[in-house]
Amino acid sequence: MSTRTSILAWLLLTGLVGGFGAFRLTSPDQTLYLPDQTSHGHHQIEMACASCHTPFGGVKDDACTNCHGEQRTAADSHPASKFNDPRNAGNLEKIDARRCVTCHVEHWPEGTHREGHTMPVDFCVTCHADVGTERPSHAGMSFTTCSDAGCHNYHDNRALWEDYLKKHLGEPVVLASAKVLPRGVAMVAKGPKSLAASNQDAPRTVAFSAALVSEWEESAHARVGINCSGCHSGTQGEWVNKPMLTICAGCHTEQNKGFGLGKHGMRVAAGLGPMSPGLARLPMRAEAKELEVGCESCHGGHSVNARKAAVDSCLGCHDDEHSRSYQRSPHFKLWEAEINRTASPGTGVSCATCHMPREKSSSSAAVVVQHNQNDNLRPSEKMVRNVCTSCHGVGFSLDAVADPELVRHNFAGRPKKHVASVDMVEKRAAQGKR
C-alpha cells in the first residue's frame, strides 16, 4: 500500500471514528461512554453526563454541590473551612478532603458503600489514627466501622452529637406526646373566595364529566380560588388538556425544588425524561413499570388527595419488602386510626410521614411537606431528628434505624441492634466529662 493510500485510509478511519463519536455524544443513549456501573444515587441520570462532567475538565465540586450543597451546609461536620485552616495543612498532604471526588468517585461499583455512595473504607484513619488513645472507649475498634449505623457520619452527624444525645438520655420508647407537625396550607389564595362548581371556567368546547368538576370543587385548589384556567391555560391563553410540571411549580415552589432533588424528579431536573418505576433498581410492581412519575402520579389532577398520596400512591409502585410489610406494621394501624378519625390528627404514620416529612419552611413559618423523598434516607440517622423523635425517644430511634432486619420488616417489632454511642455518652456524663 502506497504512502498516499495509507494516509487517505487513516484520514477516512479517523473521520468515521470521530463522526461516530460526535453522533454518539448527541444521542440520548450514552451507555457507550459509561466506564462502569453508576451508584444507586446517580444511576437515573447516568445518561446526562454533563450533570457531573465538564468537557476536558473532569468532575468539579460545583457539580456535586449543585445537588448536595444545601444538605452539606446545613450541618457539615467536615466543612471546607476546617481543611483550609493552616493547622490542617499536614493532613491535606495525605488526603485533600476539600474536594468531593477525593472520597466519592463515580463508576466504582466495588467501592460502593452500603449507603449507596462510593467511599474508601479507610479514609478516617488519615486524620484520626490516634482516636483510640484520645478516647479509650474507641480503643481496638476498626477504622472500617466508623460509619456503622449509630456511630459517625462524615457530613451530617447531628443525630449523634454528644450534647444532643446527652440531652435526650433516658427517654422512653414512646413519648407522652407522639405526633408530627400539623400540615400547613400548600399554597396561597389566588382569589377572594373559594369556588363552587358553578364558577368553573373551562371552555364549552372542552369535554369533562360532572364527577371531575365535583372532585375539583372539593379540592384545596377550589378552596383557595384556583379555577380551571389557573392550571389549564397555556402561554397564549390556549386550553392545555394536560398541564406540564411547570404549572404546578408556579405555586408549589418549595415542593417542586424538593421533587427535583429526589429520585422521583431528578431525571426531569437533569433534562431527561420523567422517572418511571421500570428504571428503578428497587423492586417495583409490574403493572406500574411504564408509568411516568410526576405530580399527578401521587396527587391526581383534580382531587389532590393528600391521604392517597401518603400511602396508596407509594404502594402502587414500590414492591420491596419494606413497602410490602407496611400494612402489617404498628405504624399502619396508627394511620388507619387517624384516617378513620378514631385517633387525633398527626398520630398516624404513613409512608410520607417518614419519607416526605413535614418541616418548617425555609422561607416562612409555614409547615410544608419535604418532597425530596430521599432527603433523610442517607445516612439513616438523618431520619432520627426530623421524624423518629416526633414519637420515640432518641436511644430507641437510633437502635431501630441501625437494625436492617427491623427496617426490612417496616419496624414491626423491637430492635435487636443496640447503638453503643448512647452508652458512651451516658458513661461520660456520669464521670462529669464533656
Side-chain angles (χ1 to χ4, degrees), residues 317-352:
C317 292
H318 290 271
D319 198 31
D320 56 287
E321 188 174 3
H322 177 82
S323 300
R324 292 196 306 270
S325 299
Y326 169 69
Q327 291 180 319
R328 298 189 297 271
S329 72
H331 285 163
F332 178 67
K333 291 188 174 89
L334 293 170
W335 173 246
E336 277 195 312
E338 180 180 339
I339 62 174
N340 291 330
R341 300 185 179 180
T342 59
S344 302
T347 57
V349 184
S350 67
C351 306

Side-chain angles (χ1 to χ4, degrees), residues 255-293:
Q255 291 87 345
N256 182 63
K257 178 183 177 183
F259 177 76
L261 290 172
K263 288 189 176 181
H264 287 162
M266 64 191 299
R267 284 179 55 85
V268 174
L272 300 172
M275 169 62 178
S276 68
L279 297 172
R281 287 182 177 173
L282 284 174
M284 295 285 165
R285 295 177 68 88
E287 63 270 25
K289 289 189 175 181
E290 301 302 320
L291 297 177
E292 290 188 351
V293 179

